[in-house]
Amino acid sequence: KAADGLGGLFLGLISGTSADGIDAALVDFSATAPRLLRARTYPLPVSLRELVLRVSQADARVDLDELGELDTRLGHAFAEAANALLAEARVDAAQVRAIGSHGQTLRHRPQGAAPFTLQLGDANIIAEVTGIDTVADFRRRDVAAGGQGAPLVPAFHAATLANALEHR
């Protein structure tokens, strides 16, 4: 896979709607099938979790300064989780081709006159703190293309694990 530019180590980050932690996974895509090298859930600090849960409520009102601060704090939390996973795996950041960060979903409304989805966790901070190229906003791109923005995992599974000779 390295010849087509898709091989190597990648690190994925996500935090679910419960906001109880950040899931981090280090995966090697060098072989025919992806190989999970290390995965762990890192708990969110209690104050950060409480803020996420408060602002993600349907009736929440948040000022822009608070939203910006939350985006920054989540970006740092995601970066810390990525660096911690790499340290535990004893993998240097320079060996990782990219980080994919789903972020923390605050609101997901893929239908209506102006469909949208909102995830926080500034990918720029993740890239700066880890030194690794970081891509994000997967759901927003899917909604922009007319999709629902979720779930995205089945498309990934189909692309990486499909086998014409075996039903998976």
Side-chain angles (χ1 to χ4, degrees):
K1 292 210 175 220
D4 63 13
L6 299 177
L9 300 180
F10 292 83
L11 198 152
L13 300 167
I14 187 172
S15 181
T17 55
S18 65
D20 57 349
I22 296 169
D23 296 327
L26 181 63
V27 181
D28 185 354
F29 286 91
S30 299
T32 306
R35 187 168 61 99
L36 180 65
L37 300 180
R38 189 155 189 102
R40 182 164 172 212
T41 300
Y42 297 91
L44 279 178
V46 173
S47 64
L48 185 55
R49 180 176 190 260
E50 288 173 352
L51 182 57
V52 166
L53 293 175
R54 183 176 63 75
V55 302
S56 63
Q57 299 305 308
D59 61 349
R61 297 293 177 246
V62 183
D63 70 34
L64 290 179
D65 288 342
E66 187 175 39
L67 191 65
E69 181 181 324
L70 181 56
D71 191 32
T72 297
R73 289 179 63 194
L74 284 166
H76 282 287
F78 277 95
E80 289 169 16
N83 282 336
L85 188 74
L86 292 175
E88 291 172 16
R90 296 187 176 142
V91 170
D92 187 83
Q95 294 176 268
V96 179
R97 302 227 11 218
I99 292 174
S101 180
H102 173 282
Q104 174 66 57
T105 299
L106 290 188
R107 196 66 48 91
H108 186 67
R109 303 285 188 267
Q111 287 132 358
F116 74 95
T117 185
L118 177 64
Q119 287 75 36
L120 295 184
D122 189 342
N124 300 292
I125 290 172
I126 298 168
E128 287 297 319
V129 172
T130 63
I132 301 169
D133 290 340
T134 302
V135 293
D137 274 349
F138 310 121
R139 285 187 183 207
R140 289 179 66 176
R141 179 65 187 264
D142 190 59
V143 170
Q148 292 293 302
L152 297 176
V153 173
F156 170 77
H157 286 165
T160 58
L161 302 174
N163 184 321
L165 304 177
E166 180 180 348
H167 178 68
R168 295 184 173 169

